């Protein structure tokens, strides 16, 4: 693990594995530690670079509001820091939004692109406005968030599906207000950037092979949003999996399919 000072923004990052170079972009509120179950399997096939986005994890606090263009440029700057002129790119949820921005502004650098459970904004549809969850009571927030992760996740469903219950449990920590000010501020800036995200009308600029993958029961980034991305990106491949927003952990066929696509 190391830290890169990118134009005044200190990003904590790690590079692991061997194989083709793969830049991994994490979801909103996520950290390297939380993403390890998704990153680690990738390292057997790729040299994976991943980082805590500004204001998150062990990266420096965010100095102020920013947009997706800033985050896309930041990801490209990290690739420069690593000496990666070209790379494969995987964006998960919020990271998929950043990945779209990077792919349309620097198309020559992205060799293959995988967009997981994400949205383009604009006419392609936006992901659920997670910032509105703060207006709910703690109990309502927890119930609503579970149904957003997977529209099947009622209390009855979770009671009868221990695997899904175990999947939801660690995500509940993101809903608590008992967090350091630095982290709450970082999450707030992420949610602002997320709310303003709109890359749909520029997706035709993506030039690399692209996989758009979604869970059929995703309440955060509905299938219709992935379908819109797949229509807008030239020759994109759309794959639907059995699960919700966390489908890579729910459908055992998902991660092998994503790895296979990125490996080609």
């Amino acid at each position: 693990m190391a830290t890169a000072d990118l134009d005044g923004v200190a990003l904590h990052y790690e590079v692991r594995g061997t194989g083709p170079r793969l830049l991994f972009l994490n979801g909103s509120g996520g950290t390297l530690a939380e993403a390890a179950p998704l990153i680690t399997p990738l390292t057997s096939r790729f040299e994976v670079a991943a980082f805590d986005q500004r204001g998150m994890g062990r990266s420096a606090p965010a100095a102020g509001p920013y947009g997706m263009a800033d985050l896309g440029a930041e990801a490209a700057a990290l690739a420069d820091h690593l000496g990666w002129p070209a790379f494969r790119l995987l964006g998960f949820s919020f990271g998929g939004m950043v990945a779209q921005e990077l792919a349309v502004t620097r198309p020559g650098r992205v060799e293959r692109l995988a967009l997981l459970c994400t949205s383009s904004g604009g006419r392609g549809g936006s992901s659920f406005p997670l910032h509105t969850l703060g207006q709910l009571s703690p109990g309502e927030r927890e119930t609503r968030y579970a149904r957003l992760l997977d529209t099947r996740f009622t209390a009855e469903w979770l009671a009868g599906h221990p695997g899904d219950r175990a999947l939801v449990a660690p995500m509940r920590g993101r809903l608590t207000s008992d967090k350091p000010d630095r982290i709450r501020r970082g999450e707030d800036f992420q949610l602002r950037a997320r709310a303003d995200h709109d890359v749909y009308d520029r997706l035709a600029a993506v030039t690399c092979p692209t996989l758009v993958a979604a869970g059929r029961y995703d309440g955060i980034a509905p299938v219709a949003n992935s379908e819109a991305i797949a229509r807008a990106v030239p020759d994109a491949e759309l794959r639907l999996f059995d699960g919700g927003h966390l489908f890579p952990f729910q459908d055992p066929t998902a991660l092998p399919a994503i790895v296979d696509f990125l490996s080609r």
Side-chain angles (χ1 to χ4, degrees):
M1 295 186 181
T3 300
D5 189 343
L6 307 175
D7 196 22
V9 178
L11 291 186
H12 174 71
Y13 72 92
E14 65 178 19
V15 180
R16 292 193 287 143
T18 57
R21 294 164 170 171
L22 174 64
L23 182 60
F24 175 90
L25 302 177
N26 205 4
S28 56
T31 64
L32 279 178
E34 292 174 340
L38 184 54
I39 295 172
T40 299
L42 299 171
T43 62
S44 64
R45 297 284 295 274
F46 304 98
E47 181 182 13
V48 182
F51 61 97
D52 287 329
Q53 298 193 34
R54 63 167 80 179
M56 302 305 301
R58 295 170 64 182
S59 288
Y66 52 79
M68 286 296 174
D70 299 310
L71 297 183
E74 205 162 85
L78 177 62
D80 291 340
H81 175 81
L82 297 173
W84 290 11
F87 44 87
R88 289 143 206 241
L89 182 61
L90 189 159
F92 180 84
S93 190
F94 179 85
M97 300 178 191
V98 181
Q100 290 171 72
E101 186 68 39
L102 175 54
V104 301
T105 55
R106 295 163 176 82
R109 302 193 63 176
V110 183
E111 297 171 327
R112 300 187 76 85
L113 172 64
L115 300 172
L116 279 56
C117 53
T118 194
S119 303
S120 68
R123 293 187 297 118
S126 297
S127 290
F128 181 85
L130 292 176
H131 61 276
T132 62
L133 292 177
Q135 302 166 12
L136 305 177
S137 69
E140 291 173 326
R141 191 182 312 142
E142 185 170 313
T143 299
R144 184 73 175 109
Y145 189 53
R147 293 293 297 274
L148 289 170
L149 290 175
D150 189 307
T151 56
R152 301 169 298 177
F153 283 3
T154 62
E156 294 76 17
W157 176 278
L158 293 174
H161 295 79
D164 289 334
R165 191 166 66 247
L167 197 62
V168 170
M171 301 297 292
R172 291 192 175 111
R174 298 189 181 185
L175 302 177
T176 180
S177 58
D178 185 22
K179 299 176 184 177
D181 287 343
R182 178 181 74 86
I183 298 301
R184 285 194 296 171
R185 182 177 170 87
E187 290 177 349
D188 179 61
F189 287 144
Q190 275 196 337
L191 292 178
R192 290 195 209 180
R194 186 178 177 279
D196 293 335
H197 169 64
D198 181 0
V199 71
Y200 182 76
D201 290 337
R202 294 179 286 144
L203 288 177
V206 177
T207 59
C208 65
T210 300
L211 171 67
V212 184
R216 291 185 175 89
Y217 308 103
D218 192 339
I220 294 178
V223 168
N225 294 8
S226 290
E227 292 172 338
I229 295 173
R231 287 194 300 269
V233 174
D235 301 317
E237 176 184 343
L238 175 67
R239 291 286 303 272
L240 302 182
F241 294 95
D242 187 26
H245 199 64
L246 303 177
F247 73 85
F249 305 104
Q250 296 174 278
D251 188 332
T253 70
L255 194 54
I258 294 162
V259 168
D260 175 70
F261 172 84
L262 288 169
S263 299
R264 294 177 203 165

